[in-house]
């Protein structure tokens, strides 16, 4: 209630990206992070999940895009998250699109963003992750690393770009997510076809000597025929799981028509429908991370019942506040 009544109205008066950067800067301060996350985490053996031989203390993770550079990686477990996915990381550091590029739509509990993968690049982020390992700051929760294509790299050259990021970062990852579904890098979503996806997955799996689980993150705007092709391609290249879904280009449920992808409540149903169809098609054999529109316990339950093994939150964390994970976990227990 304190977040909803006092903190959120203040935060929502400021530019979303300015607030995001300020919050990320403060979360790097251990004292502030500890205070901000006080009472957010709960431990209960009934919440544990094991996937790909990895133990997740609970099924709720932080979705990609919130901590693109891994700046606050050591603290996400304090907010109760059972895993954190950093990125999207690209091989070359880049600025992303011009600001403003994040827009809140409070009446729909939604966001439109057209960030375009601003991040420090694979080398710099690998250095940061190495620093956490060496200084004992590495989190106890599993870490996913989400990789995407650099803007300067052509679609034709994209397999090498993904491979470069994979080679620099795989040693820090419990799983690697191949992002071919963000709407804000021109042409990226066209990499979801059989041929393009094969050209990306083949060299990555050839280089994957540690057998790190490879997941593919898909868009919610694909036809079922397109999803079936992705599932076949993923099976051919022994992918470990799928992340469904990224933001949608469908703006019919929101009053704002800014360019970019919609996240939050308007994407919930679409994402759940896709999760259910994938789960039925693969008879539960392909683990699914369900993401899109989770704000409350019921939304998590819906995704788990549709067949997701784990879920992730982004927009719900902003609208419901840092206590959202604990609230949901309490109800799950
Ligand atoms: C501001 C913003 C930035 C995002 N950046 C990324 C990103 O870099 N990579 C990615 O795979 N997904 C990104 N996403 C998508 C989220 O990870 C998630 O798939 C989507 O927002 C749906 O979940 P939600 O409704 O809980 O937000 C971003 C979402 C938002 C709102």
């Amino acid at each position: 209630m304190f977040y909803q009544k006092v903190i959120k109205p203040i935060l929502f008066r400021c530019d979303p990206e300015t607030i995001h950067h300020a919050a990320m800067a403060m979360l790097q301060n251990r004292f502030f992070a500890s205070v901000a996350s006080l009472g957010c985490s709960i431990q209960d053996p009934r919440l544990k999940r094991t996937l790909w031989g990895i133990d997740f203390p609970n099924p709720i993770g932080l979705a990609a895009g919130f901590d693109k550079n891994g700046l606050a990686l050591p603290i996400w477990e304090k907010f109760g998250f059972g895993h954190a996915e950093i990125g999207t990381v690209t091989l070359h550091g880049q600025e992303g699109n011009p600001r403003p590029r994040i827009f809140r739509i409070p009446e729909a509990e939604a966001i439109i963003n057209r960030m375009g993968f601003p991040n420090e690049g694979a080398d710099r982020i690998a250095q940061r992750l190495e620093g956490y390992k060496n200084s004992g700051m590495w989190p106890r929760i599993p870490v996913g690393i989400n990789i995407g294509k650099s803007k300067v790299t052509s679609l034709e050259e994209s397999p090498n770009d993904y491979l470069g990021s994979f080679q620099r970062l795989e040693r820090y990852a419990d799983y690697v997510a191949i992002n071919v579904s963000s709407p804000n890098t021109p042409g990226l979503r066209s990499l979801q076809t059989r041929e393009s996806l094969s050209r990306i997955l083949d060299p990555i799996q050839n280089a994957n000597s540690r057998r790190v689980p490879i997941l593919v993150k898909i868009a919610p705007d694909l036809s079922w025929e397109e999803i079936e092709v992705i599932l076949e391609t993923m099976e051919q290249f022994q992918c470990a799981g799928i992340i469904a879904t990224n933001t949608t280009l469908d703006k019919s449920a929101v009053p704002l028509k800014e360019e970019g992808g919609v996240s939050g409540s308007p994407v919930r149903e679409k994402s759940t429908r896709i999760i259910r169809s994938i789960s039925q098609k693969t008879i539960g054999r392909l683990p699914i991370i369900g993401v899109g529109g989770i704000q409350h316990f019921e939304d998590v339950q819906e995704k788990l019942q549709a067949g997701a093994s784990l879920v992730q939150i982004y927009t719900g964390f902003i609208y419901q506040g840092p206590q959202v994970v604990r609230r949901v976990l309490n109800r799950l227990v």
Side-chain angles (χ1 to χ4, degrees):
M1 284 311 272
F2 184 66
Y3 179 81
Q4 293 291 347
K5 295 261 183 248
V6 181
I7 310 268
K8 194 165 97 175
I10 298 171
L11 296 183
F12 273 37
R13 260 192 237 153
C14 310
D15 166 65
E17 192 166 348
T18 307
I19 288 293
H20 187 82
H21 289 311
M24 291 299 293
M26 287 192 286
L27 288 176
Q28 287 169 74
N29 176 303
R30 283 195 146 195
F31 175 72
F32 175 84
S34 300
V35 173
S37 62
L38 214 58
C40 283
S41 129
I42 75 164
Q43 308 290 331
D44 191 297
R46 287 170 291 182
L47 292 169
K48 279 190 185 153
R49 302 284 189 277
T50 302
L51 276 180
W52 316 299
I54 301 161
D55 291 327
F56 293 77
N58 71 62
I60 303 181
L62 179 71
F66 204 99
D67 191 0
K68 290 174 187 291
N69 295 309
L71 287 171
L73 187 59
I75 66 97
W76 295 119
E77 64 194 61
K78 290 187 200 284
F79 285 91
F81 287 109
H83 71 279
E85 187 173 311
I86 64 165
T88 293
V89 181
T90 56
L91 180 59
H92 305 287
Q94 55 187 36
E95 297 277 321
N97 291 322
R99 289 168 73 164
R101 50 194 181 176
I102 306 181
F103 307 88
R104 297 186 200 100
I105 313 169
E107 58 273 44
E109 293 197 315
I111 286 175
I112 293 181
N113 94 81
R114 51 167 180 265
M115 300 291 281
F117 298 159
N119 78 102
E120 295 173 330
D123 279 324
R124 176 72 195 95
I125 293 169
Q127 265 174 23
R128 175 168 302 119
L129 301 181
E130 185 66 27
Y132 293 148
K133 288 256 178 203
N134 294 338
S135 59
M137 287 167 73
W138 193 258
R140 288 167 299 176
I141 56 173
V143 173
I145 303 183
N146 178 308
I147 59 176
K149 181 188 84 68
S150 313
K151 192 171 180 195
V152 292
T153 303
S154 67
L155 289 170
E156 190 54 28
E157 283 298 312
S158 60
N160 274 336
D161 196 83
Y162 279 93
L163 180 63
S165 295
F166 177 79
Q167 288 171 323
R168 284 161 179 77
L169 293 163
E170 58 85 14
R171 76 196 67 146
Y172 308 105
D174 289 293
Y175 70 82
V176 169
I178 310 292
N179 184 2
V180 279
S181 50
S182 287
N184 305 311
T185 295
L188 192 86
R189 286 183 166 202
S190 70
L191 299 175
Q192 292 173 112
T193 59
R194 189 191 304 273
E195 200 210 331
S196 301
L197 199 52
S198 303
R199 287 183 61 228
I200 294 169
L201 291 175
D202 192 25
I204 285 185
Q205 287 295 37
N206 282 332
N208 188 6
S209 51
R210 219 166 53 85
R211 306 316 301 163
V212 179
I214 304 296
L215 281 69
V216 175
K217 183 165 180 178
I218 63 166
D221 306 319
L222 298 164
S223 68
W224 178 242
E225 288 70 31
E226 289 170 313
I227 296 176
E228 280 192 313
V229 168
I230 292 174
L231 292 175
E232 283 167 21
T233 314
M234 288 176 61
E235 195 178 346
Q236 184 187 347
F237 291 99
Q238 293 163 15
C239 290
I242 189 158
I243 306 181
T245 63
N246 215 310
T247 54
T248 179
L249 285 173
D250 176 3
K251 307 218 169 67
S252 58
V254 292
L256 189 71
K257 306 298 173 201
E258 279 291 341
E259 199 183 312
V262 180
S263 61
S265 298
V267 80
R268 197 201 84 228
E269 230 181 280
K270 231 181 207 199
S271 134
T272 303
R273 227 180 302 130
I274 290 176
I275 292 164
R276 189 173 298 115
S277 303
I278 295 173
S279 175
Q280 283 165 357
K281 168 83 182 170
T282 59
I283 330 166
R285 279 193 318 248
L286 184 75
I288 304 167
I289 301 185
V291 51
I294 292 177
Q295 310 263 358
H296 306 286
F297 164 71
E298 289 76 12
D299 308 328
V300 172
Q301 203 180 27
E302 177 186 277
K303 293 266 190 291
L304 296 176
Q305 281 171 357
S309 302
L310 304 172
V311 298
Q312 294 178 337
I313 303 187
Y314 188 134
T315 306
F317 195 63
I318 293 167
Y319 279 99
Q320 309 307 324
Q323 297 280 338
V324 62
V325 183
R326 194 199 60 173
R327 271 203 301 274
V328 171
L329 291 178
N330 270 331
R331 296 273 311 269
L332 269 181
V333 167

